[in-house]
Amino acid sequence: MRVVQSATDSIRNDLFTDAFALRPLPPLSEHNPLLRRTPRRLRRYVRWLPHAAVSAFAALLALVMLDRQPGTGGLLLTFLACAPIVVTLFRPIGAFWLSLGGILATSILLSGTPWHPAGFASHLAVTVVVAARTRPRVAAEMWLLTIGFGALLSAFNGYGYGSADVLQTAVLFGMVLFVVAATRGLRDSKQQVAAQAAVTQVERSRRTLLEERTTIARELHDVVAHHMSVVAIQAEAAPYRVQDTPPELAAAFATIRENAVAALTELRRVLGVVRSEDPDAFGAAEPEAPQPTLADLGALIANVRDAGLDVEHVTTGAVRPLPQGVELSAYRIVQEALSNVLRHAPGATARVEIGYVPVGLGLRIVNGRPDRLAKPSPGAGHGLLGMRERVTMLDGEMTAQATPDGGYEIAAFLPVAPAAEAAA
């Protein structure tokens, strides 16, 4: 009972629901093998080859019928047989029902003939076109309805349910529709395989890119970590190699070692995770240090001053805790800006302005003209790109431009929603 109910529901959904909905036959796609073999100047015509083939068959069938049955009766039969073929180009399921209706009208007009040759050819063409445009299940349903409808006509006209016409029709329609459905299924399978292959290729390319980036990150970690370790060790051992080391020189070496160790720690925290297949395992083996905030800005500026940069720090507005993302991004922006001054504007002075306003946080880092005698370090612009990405992530605004006196200015505004500030 359930099988019959399921089959009935399938037929109703496929052949009755929205049977006359508009479903135009699309032209051949650009990836069609026939179109790819066609010269480019003819492709716009070849794309419409299926439409031309269906229309040509309908016209040929109409000419044959008018030649064999001239007059008004022949014209009516021609219309009943050929109209459904043309309708398959726009409303395929509706064309199937029109074809069945044409067979019924032809049987009545011809006094009991269940299958007129022209009606038979027309209905076969309609079912082939509809089967080529729909799922294989629809082809099986059309075959069942066609055989049942033909058997009823044969029985009503006195031929019997098992007449030779019914059996021949069942065999011929079944063979043709099976070939059409199998061809369509094979075509759909090839398209799915091609689509899956394209997705696989994209994923493979993406995986290769990620693997290459991971390899580069590991090599970067190895190289930079090694050199920073050497710098830290040499800076620690240098005061002991010189007798009566001046306090200023010893303090400078100590600062160099502290900076090298801090850079090495942060490098391991950021890049060291690529050494482990399980990022959580790395985090468990080497706990991450707390992320810096604006409260750590004083230590950062003091460290930069020890490196030789004259920095002025000004804070305006009511200092208050901000969301962690804003605090971290602001700290990183100031850190990168001051690092840029050290690298690209040696000998210049810098000014860091932090402005707390009710709707957010303002940053301004400006430096003066660099010393002409000092040689600046070349850069690739990654620092500015990183700052812009952080500001964009927070829906803020940022400008970076040269100043009239030959220096450089970075200004950023990081908005803070009242709800986010309350959560902080």
Side-chain angles (χ1 to χ4, degrees):
M1 188 66 182
R2 291 183 178 180
V3 175
V4 176
Q5 182 66 29
S6 177
T8 304
D9 293 340
S10 299
I11 294 176
R12 182 176 67 252
N13 294 332
D14 294 336
L15 298 179
F16 287 89
T17 304
D18 294 331
F20 285 87
L22 181 62
R23 299 183 181 94
L25 176 64
L28 296 178
S29 66
E30 296 293 337
H31 304 290
N32 189 279
L34 177 62
L35 206 61
R36 286 188 301 215
R37 299 192 194 99
T38 305
R40 187 174 299 274
R41 64 178 181 276
L42 299 178
R43 289 183 181 178
R44 61 177 180 176
Y45 305 108
V46 178
R47 294 183 63 195
W48 302 98
L49 185 61
H51 304 72
V54 173
S55 302
F57 181 82
L60 179 61
L61 183 62
L63 292 176
V64 173
M65 292 186 65
L66 290 176
D67 180 65
R68 293 187 177 183
Q69 291 184 340
T72 305
L75 185 62
L76 178 59
L77 293 176
T78 300
F79 176 79
L80 292 176
C82 297
I85 300 177
V86 179
V87 175
T88 57
L89 299 176
F90 308 98
R91 306 176 191 273
I93 304 299
F96 171 76
W97 291 113
L98 290 178
S99 182
L100 287 181
I103 293 174
L104 177 62
T106 301
S107 177
I108 296 174
L109 292 175
L110 297 181
S111 302
T113 302
W115 284 106
H116 187 271
F120 183 90
S122 171
H123 190 67
L124 181 60
V126 168
T127 53
V128 166
V129 174
V130 176
R133 296 192 56 192
T134 54
R135 294 174 294 178
R137 186 180 71 183
V138 179
E141 294 167 353
M142 289 191 300
W143 180 78
L144 290 174
L145 289 177
T146 297
I147 302 309
F149 186 73
L152 287 176
L153 282 181
S154 296
F156 182 77
N157 292 320
Y159 291 91
Y161 289 102
S163 64
D165 287 343
V166 175
L167 295 178
Q168 293 174 1
T169 301
V171 173
L172 182 59
F173 271 75
M175 293 176 58
V176 173
L177 290 179
F178 176 79
V179 172
V180 173
T183 303
R184 175 177 172 81
L186 180 61
R187 183 186 63 186
D188 292 344
S189 299
K190 289 182 177 179
Q191 291 178 351
Q192 292 177 1
V193 170
Q196 186 62 36
V199 172
T200 303
Q201 181 63 29
V202 172
E203 290 297 328
R204 186 181 294 112
S205 300
R206 182 180 178 183
R207 181 176 179 179
T208 302
L209 177 61
L210 292 177
E211 290 177 352
E212 187 67 22
R213 287 181 176 178
T214 302
T215 302
I216 294 173
R218 287 175 177 173
E219 294 175 352
L220 175 65
H221 177 270
D222 293 342
V223 173
V224 177
H226 169 73
H227 288 290
M228 293 301 294
S229 299
V230 172
V231 169
I233 294 173
Q234 290 181 348
E236 184 178 11
Y240 301 100
R241 297 182 179 181
V242 180
Q243 294 181 353
D244 299 328
T245 305
E248 295 82 2
L249 183 60
F253 279 122
T255 302
I256 293 174
R257 181 185 180 280
E258 291 175 0
N259 287 333
V261 171
L264 185 60
T265 302
E266 184 139 347
L267 177 67
R268 284 175 176 170
R269 183 175 62 83
V270 175
L271 296 180
V273 69
V274 302
R275 285 196 165 279
S276 175
E277 297 294 335
D278 184 9
D280 295 334
F282 176 83
E286 185 178 344
E288 295 185 359
Q291 295 286 1
T293 63
L294 289 176
D296 303 313
L297 203 57
L300 172 65
I301 293 177
N303 194 4
V304 175
R305 286 172 178 163
D306 292 340
L309 178 62
D310 185 9
V311 182
E312 181 183 1
H313 180 203
V314 178
T315 300
T316 59
V319 179
R320 64 189 187 279
L322 298 176
Q324 182 180 3
V326 176
E327 295 259 355
L328 176 60
S329 296
Y331 180 91
R332 294 302 187 195
I333 290 172
V334 174
Q335 182 184 42
E336 183 61 33
L338 294 178
S339 298
N340 286 343
V341 176
L342 284 171
R343 289 193 298 267
H344 309 309
T349 59
R351 178 183 173 89
V352 177
E353 298 178 3
I354 309 295
Y356 288 84
V357 295
V359 293
L361 181 71
L363 304 173
R364 181 174 180 267
I365 305 94
V366 59
N367 63 271
R369 182 190 298 273
D371 189 352
R372 294 183 179 180
L373 299 180
K375 183 179 180 181
S377 173
H382 296 301
L384 286 176
L385 180 60
M387 286 188 280
R388 291 188 186 277
E389 288 178 350
R390 290 183 180 275
V391 173
T392 302
M393 178 183 65
L394 297 173
D395 296 328
E397 299 178 357
M398 172 181 160
T399 59
Q401 58 188 359
T403 59
D405 60 353
Y408 205 80
E409 178 188 55
I410 294 175
F413 177 75
L414 306 179
V416 178
E421 187 174 347

